[in-house]
Amino acid sequence: FCKKCYYTSNNVDNCVNILWGIPLSIVAAAWCQWGCRAEILFPSLRYETKFAMVCLTFGASFGIWTAAYLFGVKPWRDDLMMPEEEELNVLEVKENLFYSWFNCNPVFVLKCAFLWHDDEGNEVASKRKQHPIACGEDPTKVRFYQIGKEYLFLKPERQHLAFPAHWNKGWPGGALEFETYLEMALDAVTDLFAKLCKPRETRVMDDKGDFVLAKQLLDDGCDGCLPNAASKR
């Protein structure tokens, strides 16, 4: 696993799903073992026979899982197998995926953001020369791909789709997802502490106010420490 992309294939996924039957079969074998120890299953059999039944339960469970996956899902059928080599250009890849070579390369992303744009964020056409940039749906915004930040690759007017409305408020996920109710609980705790705790008063001041305040402090300090012009005379 890599932060920027996934290294997998249809064969790897199918092998992992088949091997997932091993932990499931261990649960089935444990169920059989504890049934034998509690004298609920096979109370009249010998110890060796009970051990064989536990092993048989494991093998039967794994066989049922494998058969259900191979004959029910049919993972190796032709319509699920992608061709080994598929030549697509950048625009065709962006239609199906958020990530590409451009927005997964941190050096290239920095190049797009600072070499091909000036200090104010405007594009410098003489440096870019119509080269593709690391971006999402909006070709004018430079984006670096990170898992969990896919919503940044959508246009601002579409980002609200990641936060559907539930009970007149917006939380990520759907009504059947655990994260939705976790966000609701955290939001309720935040509202509770906001009501219990008195907010600290803060003084808001813009840059002009900061400049005036600094000038007043500087003048007051100078008046207290340095002689004025009249005393010099």
Side-chain angles (χ1 to χ4, degrees), residues 94-106:
K94 287 179 63 177
E95 292 180 357
N96 299 320
L97 300 175
F98 282 119
Y99 56 87
S100 64
W101 183 91
F102 297 107
N103 53 37
C104 287
N105 190 329

Side-chain angles (χ1 to χ4, degrees), residues 130-178:
Q130 298 182 352
H131 195 284
I133 67 171
C135 61
E137 289 186 349
D138 191 350
T140 62
K141 300 293 184 181
V142 178
R143 292 287 184 263
F144 176 63
Y145 179 78
Q146 287 181 301
I147 295 177
K149 300 293 183 180
E150 288 84 357
Y151 64 91
L152 295 176
F153 284 71
L154 300 176
K155 292 183 178 180
E157 57 269 18
R158 297 187 59 197
Q159 290 184 3
H160 72 279
L161 298 176
F163 298 88
H166 299 290
W167 294 278
N168 298 324
K169 297 193 69 174
W171 286 282
L176 299 180
E177 296 183 4
F178 167 76

Side-chain angles (χ1 to χ4, degrees), residues 192-201:
L192 178 61
F193 277 94
K195 295 178 181 179
L196 295 178
C197 301
K198 182 179 179 181
R200 184 178 179 181
E201 295 182 358

Side-chain angles (χ1 to χ4, degrees), residues 26-60:
I26 292 176
V27 175
W31 174 83
C32 181
Q33 178 193 7
W34 284 104
C36 294
R37 294 185 64 178
E39 299 296 334
I40 298 176
L41 299 177
F42 318 115
S44 60
L45 298 181
R46 299 175 56 186
Y47 173 78
E48 294 79 4
T49 307
K50 292 181 179 180
F51 180 77
M53 295 302 296
V54 172
C55 296
L56 181 62
T57 302
F58 178 88

